[in-house]
Amino acid sequence: MGNTVAREDFEWVYTDQPHADRRKEILAKHPEIKALMKPDYNLIWVVVLMVLAQLTAFYLVKDLDWKWVIFWAYVFGSCISHSMTLAIHEISHNSAFGNSKAMWNRWFGIFANLPLGLPYSISFKRYHMDHHRYLGGDGIDVDIPTNFEGWFFCTRFRKFIWIVLQPFFYAIRPLCINPKPITRLEIINLLAQLSFDIVIYYLWGVKSTFYMLAGSVLGLGLHPISGHFIAEHYMFLKGHETYSYYGPLNLLTFNVGYHNEHHDFPNIPGKSLPLVKKIAAEYYDNLPQYNSWIKVLYDFVMDDTISPYSRMKRQLKGEVKQD
C-alpha cells in the first residue's frame, strides 16, 4: 500500500491538442454532423425536474434520524448533485438556450446551481472554456493537478484520500494555478446561492441544509460517477490524452463519458454525442475507451504507475485569451 509511484513529473508534450485537427477532418468527411450543433431544449425541463426533486428531498429529510439523512445524502442526493454539475457543464456550453442567448444560459446556470448549496456555475464556465481552448496548458488549464498534488498523493492510500477530497481540490486549485478577478455574475451567483441556503435553513432546518451540502461533497468525492474526473484525461496509456466512457452512467451524466466526441465538438449537446460517434465511427471506435468508471477509480488507486502526475501538459505559445 505504501509503494511510491514511478512518475515524478507531468508528461510534457510539444504538440497541439488533437481535437481541433480531428474536428476538421470529421467535418470534411461528415458535414451532416453540423446539423447536430443546436440547443437541446429538453435540457431545460430535465434541470427543472431535478431542482424540484431536490426540493422535495429537502422537505422529506427534515425530520429523519441523522443516520437516514446521511444515508439518503449519499444514495440519492449525491447522484442528483453530481448529475446537476454535469447539467451545469452542458449549460456552460450554451446547450440549453443556444449561443444566441448566452445570458439566458448564465441565468439558468445560476438556477441549476441552487440545490448544490455552493456557488459554482459562473466560475465553472469561465475556467471550463480555458480547459477546451488550452487543454493541458501550463498555468491556464485548472483541470491539471498542482505540483503538490502530484508530489504528495503518490501512494495507494494517499491517492484514495485524493479521490475522497476531489471537490476541495477542484474548488481550491483555480485560486492556486490561475486566479481571476471576480465578476459581477459571480457575485450574483454567490448572493443567490446564500439567499437560497438561508431560506432552506429557515424553512426546514439543519438536516435539510446538511443533506444539501453533504450530497454535493459526497457526490463529487468517493462516488462511482466521480470516475469521470479521472477517466477523461488521465494518461493510462502513454500518448493518449482524452478517453471516452461508453457505460450506463452516461444516462445520469448527460453523456459526459463521450469525452473525445465532446472535445472534438464542444458545441454539440451531450444528448447528440452518441450520434457523433455513430456517424464518425471510424475515428472513435479504435480509440482507448472505458466501460466502467468504478474500475477507473480502482485502477487509479492500485496502479503504482498512475498518479495525479499522469497528465499531458503544454507550455503555451503566443497570445492566450481567457474568459
Side-chain angles (χ1 to χ4, degrees):
M1 181 173 281
N3 293 337
T4 303
V5 298
R7 181 171 289 280
E8 296 181 353
D9 195 4
F10 297 102
E11 180 81 7
W12 287 88
V13 293
Y14 303 94
T15 56
D16 292 333
Q17 58 168 295
H19 300 289
D21 287 342
R22 187 159 61 221
R23 176 166 56 247
K24 290 176 184 176
E25 279 189 41
I26 291 174
L27 286 176
K29 190 171 181 181
H30 300 287
E32 65 271 27
I33 283 178
K34 291 179 183 178
L36 303 177
M37 299 175 183
K38 59 185 179 182
D40 173 15
Y41 295 117
N42 288 332
L43 176 63
I44 299 168
W45 306 113
V46 172
V47 167
V48 169
L49 289 174
M50 289 169 69
V51 171
L52 292 175
Q54 278 295 68
L55 285 173
T56 303
F58 296 162
Y59 173 77
L60 292 175
V61 303
K62 67 184 179 68
D63 296 320
L64 294 181
D65 290 341
W66 275 107
K67 63 182 178 183
W68 290 112
V69 174
I70 296 170
F71 173 82
W72 287 114
Y74 188 77
V75 171
F76 183 76
S78 63
C79 295
I80 295 287
S81 291
H82 201 137
S83 184
M84 189 63 89
T85 67
L86 294 166
I88 289 171
H89 166 254
E90 287 284 291
I91 296 164
S92 76
H93 286 281
N94 294 335
S95 291
F97 294 97
N99 292 322
S100 63
K101 296 180 178 177
M103 281 305 300
W104 288 39
N105 289 282
R106 302 293 78 74
W107 294 117
F108 191 57
I110 292 172
F111 168 75
N113 195 153
L114 294 176
L116 295 177
L118 301 166
Y120 162 84
S121 175
I122 298 300
S123 296
F124 172 80
K125 189 264 190 300
R126 298 179 73 198
Y127 284 103
H128 188 64
M129 295 304 104
D130 294 340
H131 170 65
H132 275 274
R133 290 191 197 109
Y134 307 111
L135 181 63
D138 184 32
I140 301 296
D141 184 359
V142 299
D143 193 60
I144 299 283
T146 60
N147 279 304
F148 170 78
E149 291 170 74
W151 168 77
F152 184 77
F153 295 99
C154 60
T155 66
R156 294 178 184 179
F157 176 72
R158 291 182 189 180
K159 286 190 288 181
F160 174 81
I161 297 300
W162 185 75
I163 289 172
V164 172
L165 298 178
Q166 277 292 288
F168 300 100
F169 287 114
Y170 270 90
I172 295 169
R173 196 183 293 149
L175 305 177
C176 300
I177 293 178
N178 185 18
K180 297 184 179 186
I182 296 174
T183 64
R184 181 179 67 92
L185 276 178
E186 284 175 305
I187 294 172
I188 292 171
N189 193 177
L190 172 63
L191 294 176
Q193 192 63 60
L194 287 175
S195 300
F196 179 83
D197 295 352
I198 290 168
V199 168
I200 294 300
Y201 178 79
Y202 177 78
L203 289 177
W204 297 322
V206 67
K207 290 180 179 178
S208 297
T209 307
F210 174 86
Y211 167 90
M212 172 172 59
L213 297 171
S216 295
V217 173
L218 293 171
L220 296 169
L222 186 63
H223 195 281
I225 298 176
S226 292
H228 82 86
F229 288 132
I230 293 169
E232 290 166 359
H233 297 293
Y234 284 80
M235 194 172 53
F236 282 77
L237 291 175
K238 187 175 177 64
H240 291 277
E241 186 168 15
T242 305
Y243 302 75
S244 288
Y245 155 83
Y246 299 123
L249 289 177
N250 277 304
L251 295 172
L252 297 177
T253 58
F254 301 91
N255 287 329
V256 76
Y258 288 76
H259 217 66
N260 269 300
E261 295 85 347
H262 172 60
H263 271 266
D264 289 352
F265 299 98
N267 56 342
I268 293 180
K271 181 185 76 171
S272 298
L273 292 178
L275 276 175
V276 172
K277 180 181 184 295
K278 183 178 180 180
I279 292 169
E282 69 274 24
Y283 287 92
Y284 296 114
D285 285 352
N286 294 321
L287 292 177
Q289 55 191 252
Y290 302 111
N291 291 305
S292 170
W293 277 335
I294 295 175
K295 188 174 187 302
V296 167
L297 291 171
Y298 177 83
D299 289 346
F300 179 82
V301 171
M302 299 305 293
D303 188 336
D304 292 337
T305 66
I306 304 295
S307 78
Y309 270 142
S310 301
R311 292 290 296 264
M312 287 190 181
K313 207 170 185 183
R314 293 176 172 83
Q315 194 73 49
L316 296 175
K317 302 173 184 177
E319 184 181 4
V320 175
K321 296 180 179 180
Q322 301 184 67
D323 278 20

